[in-house]
Amino acid sequence: MVKATIKLIIVSRVIAIMNQKGGVGKTTTTINLGHALALAGKRVTVLDMDPQGHVAVAYGLDERKAGLDKVLLDSLAIDDVTIAARDNLDVVLAGESLIDYETIAEGGASRGHKLRLAIENSKLKERDFVLIDCPPATGLLAVNAMFAADEVMIPVSSDYLSLQGLSKMVHILKRVEVLSGRSIKLWLVSTRMNLHRRLAHEVRRRVLKYFPGRVFKTVIRENVALAEAPGFGKTIFDYKQNCAGSKDYQALAQDLLLGRIA
Ligand SMILES: Nc1ncnc2c1ncn2[C@@H]1O[C@H](COP(=O)(O)OP(=O)(O)OP(=O)(O)O)[C@@H](O)[C@H]1O
Ligand SMILES: [Mg+2]
């Protein structure tokens, strides 16, 4: 009798959370969406590609620990710098010298592919989700994240200026798609939304108009607990279970799992 072996192939979703504009909610989204997915039973790893190192602070971890700096600059394996942060949730911190990679001169065009290769040579492919928190820039670190990602999620906060850099980012994304010969799924999420302000609704209306079919249904409301939680090294789910922030990020996780758009 021939025994059939069924091999389970797990394909992780690598998602870069990026926007060249600062303060739009990239890190808040990465850390809380990561925890929401982990609480929903998914295996998640968060990578901090921002030299500011805010992921460490937000998860209550020691920001001086080695992380992606050693991976990119010294070719250490990602698995060797992965830290368990919560149940189902691992983290690779930025590390204190990640900023040095932004100005690295050697390596030519391959400099942009270092993160992708490091992910391919790691156990990250066994995870359900890999979320990459990106810096507010479009330099080498952001480009590495784009080359590594299957999907890009752009948080857009509720002010006109956050619409400003979007076309440039989408342009860079298109170039990366051409260079890598594959398509990258684009998502947008409205963040820091004050429902009482007309401007916030106007910005959301424009985002929906410019990116039809690409904007998540859930809107992340302005919520003071979301701003307070990192000060205690906590995610919104550690800090306040039943506030607007925890409800919104839980709903966003469902949007992502189900492909639920506005
Ligand atoms: N929905 C929200 N409600 C209230 N405060 C928020 C919300 N989202 C983010 N914030 C706060 O706004 C500030 C900027 O958020 P965050 O650090 O997530 O943005 P960022 O895009 O990662 O910034 P940077 O570009 O500097 O990396 C932080 O103080 C954060 O706590
Ligand atoms: Mg950030």
Side-chain angles (χ1 to χ4, degrees):
M1 197 173 75
V2 182
K3 235 185 181 176
T5 33
I6 301 166
K7 201 172 175 194
L8 201 62
I9 300 170
I10 306 159
V11 183
S12 57
R13 290 174 68 176
V14 182
I15 306 175
I17 290 92
M18 52 174 37
N19 190 334
Q20 66 188 39
K21 187 172 186 315
V24 294
K26 293 180 288 295
T27 304
T28 305
T29 297
T30 308
I31 57 139
N32 290 307
L33 179 62
H35 199 188
L37 289 165
L39 289 168
K42 302 295 171 191
R43 286 156 307 171
V44 183
T45 301
V46 166
L47 309 185
D48 190 0
M49 275 293 265
D50 185 351
Q52 294 181 100
H54 288 162
V55 168
V57 180
Y59 281 135
L61 302 166
D62 182 355
E63 61 196 300
R64 291 164 304 180
K65 280 197 171 155
L68 288 170
D69 58 342
K70 298 289 176 211
V71 173
L72 297 179
L73 294 161
D74 301 329
S75 300
L76 235 70
I78 284 187
D79 298 336
D80 292 340
V81 284
T82 299
I83 299 168
R86 304 284 188 281
D87 286 349
N88 282 338
L89 179 64
D90 287 352
V91 180
V92 183
L93 302 180
E96 288 183 307
S97 45
L98 184 60
I99 189 67
D100 295 348
Y101 195 72
E102 199 69 84
T103 51
I104 202 128
E106 41 308 340
S110 69
R111 290 175 308 165
H113 295 271
K114 190 119 194 199
L115 181 67
R116 179 178 62 78
L117 291 172
I119 290 175
E120 280 173 15
N121 292 317
S122 74
K123 289 191 186 138
L124 287 184
K125 47 192 171 301
E126 294 167 17
R127 310 295 285 173
D128 297 307
F129 286 92
V130 176
L131 305 183
I132 311 173
D133 186 25
C134 295
T138 51
L140 197 49
L141 291 167
V143 166
N144 263 271
M146 281 192 201
F147 274 118
D150 310 305
E151 305 170 42
V152 163
M153 186 188 297
I154 305 182
V156 182
S157 60
S158 306
D159 58 282
Y160 273 119
L161 291 179
S162 73
L163 291 170
Q164 207 80 70
L166 279 188
S167 60
K168 187 182 169 193
M169 272 207 53
V170 172
H171 180 72
I172 296 171
L173 199 65
K174 293 261 175 283
R175 269 186 51 202
V176 169
E177 282 187 317
V178 171
L179 287 170
S180 62
R182 65 195 174 88
S183 60
I184 300 169
K185 214 179 242 179
L186 178 69
W187 304 106
L188 290 97
V189 54
S190 297
T191 53
R192 310 194 61 177
M193 179 107 170
N194 181 338
L195 297 173
H196 304 296
R197 285 176 63 199
R198 221 174 40 186
L199 176 63
H201 292 280
E202 173 60 16
V203 171
R204 168 110 175 141
R205 197 184 61 74
R206 288 199 188 199
V207 172
L208 286 166
K209 185 177 161 205
Y210 299 148
F211 299 95
R214 307 269 30 110
V215 185
F216 282 124
K217 185 165 179 269
T218 299
V219 163
I220 307 297
R221 288 166 282 179
E222 186 82 24
N223 175 238
V224 69
L226 282 169
E228 289 167 356
F232 300 96
K234 290 181 172 181
T235 69
I236 197 64
F237 302 101
D238 305 324
Y239 184 63
K240 234 176 212 175
Q241 285 286 343
N242 270 318
C243 65
S246 61
K247 286 179 187 148
D248 291 348
Y249 276 108
Q250 208 168 20
L252 183 64
Q254 289 305 313
D255 287 0
L256 186 61
L257 289 167
L258 304 171
R260 211 164 51 182
I261 49 158

